[in-house]
Amino acid sequence: MKKSIENKSTGTHPLNRFVTREALAFHLGIKSDNIYKISCWRYVIHVVGKGKSRFVSYADMPPILGVEEPRKADFAKWRKRIKTRKQKYVPKFWSEFYVKKIEESNSIQTLLKWENLVKQCKSLISLEGIQKIENALAQEKSRLEKISH
C-alpha cells in the first residue's frame, strides 16, 4: 500500500512543517511502518494505520531539524494545547522522540543542532524529559568524540 503524506487543506497550518511519520508513530505508540496514510487537513492531521484511524492536533507535533525553526507563534500554539489538555507540559513522547533523534546523530554538528532545538523548547518539556534528553546528549557527545579521535 502506498504510504503518503497528503495536504488536503487549502491553507496550510503553521505547524505543518513539523509533521513527520516518525513523530506521529511515537505519538500514537505504533511502528511507522504501520502508518498507511497521513492527511494534513486545515486544523488536524488524520492518520490511518494498521487498526487505527486517528485525528491528531498539529500542536502535538515536536519541532524538528531541517525546517524553519520554531517561532513565537508556534510556542503560543503549544502552550494553548498544553492548557487545553489540562497538563503542565507537552506529551511525554516528545522527550522520547528527541532521545531517539539524538542517538541517531552521526556527527557532532547534528548533535549540537538537536541540542539547540531542545534548549529552545525546554520550557515545554517536563523536568524528567529534559533529564533523559541531557543524558542522551552527554552519551552521544562522548561516543562521537571517541569516533572522531
Side-chain angles (χ1 to χ4, degrees):
M1 178 172 233
K2 184 181 165 197
K3 296 180 180 185
S4 62
I5 296 180
E6 295 177 9
N7 191 337
K8 293 217 174 194
S9 66
T10 50
T12 57
H13 194 282
L15 296 176
N16 186 11
R17 66 191 188 280
F18 302 130
V19 176
T20 64
R21 180 177 305 283
E22 186 178 13
L24 285 165
F26 261 88
H27 180 53
L28 299 174
I30 60 175
K31 292 180 181 176
S32 62
D33 290 347
N34 291 339
I35 295 176
Y36 305 137
K37 186 177 180 185
I38 300 166
S39 300
C40 296
W41 294 354
R42 187 171 186 175
Y43 298 110
V44 293
I45 308 156
H46 183 228
V47 183
V48 179
K50 189 173 185 179
K52 281 193 191 281
S53 175
R54 293 270 307 269
F55 290 100
V56 177
S57 170
Y58 283 101
D60 285 339
M61 295 293 96
I64 56 171
L65 297 180
V67 295
E68 183 185 344
E69 286 195 8
R71 300 181 295 249
K72 266 187 176 179
D74 300 331
F75 284 94
K77 285 176 178 42
W78 288 317
R79 286 192 184 92
K80 183 179 177 186
R81 177 69 174 160
I82 291 167
K83 195 174 180 179
T84 303
R85 298 174 97 205
K86 295 178 174 53
Q87 296 180 337
K88 291 184 178 182
Y89 303 104
V90 292
K92 189 178 175 181
F93 88 89
W94 277 39
S95 55
E96 296 164 1
F97 176 78
Y98 286 132
V99 165
K100 184 172 189 289
K101 292 310 232 174
I102 287 163
E103 289 171 348
E104 290 173 352
S105 294
N106 53 8
S107 71
I108 293 285
Q109 292 82 6
T110 303
L111 192 64
L112 294 175
K113 287 178 184 176
W114 281 113
E115 183 177 29
N116 182 43
L117 183 62
V118 168
K119 278 182 186 174
Q120 290 179 50
C121 302
K122 202 172 185 174
S123 64
L124 301 172
I125 303 171
S126 71
L127 192 56
E128 179 187 333
I130 291 295
Q131 200 64 48
K132 287 179 183 178
I133 293 168
E134 287 174 352
N135 290 342
L137 281 164
Q139 283 182 331
E140 282 306 301
K141 273 184 189 171
S142 173
R143 183 184 71 80
L144 290 169
E145 285 170 356
K146 285 178 187 174
I147 292 170
S148 65
H149 285 90

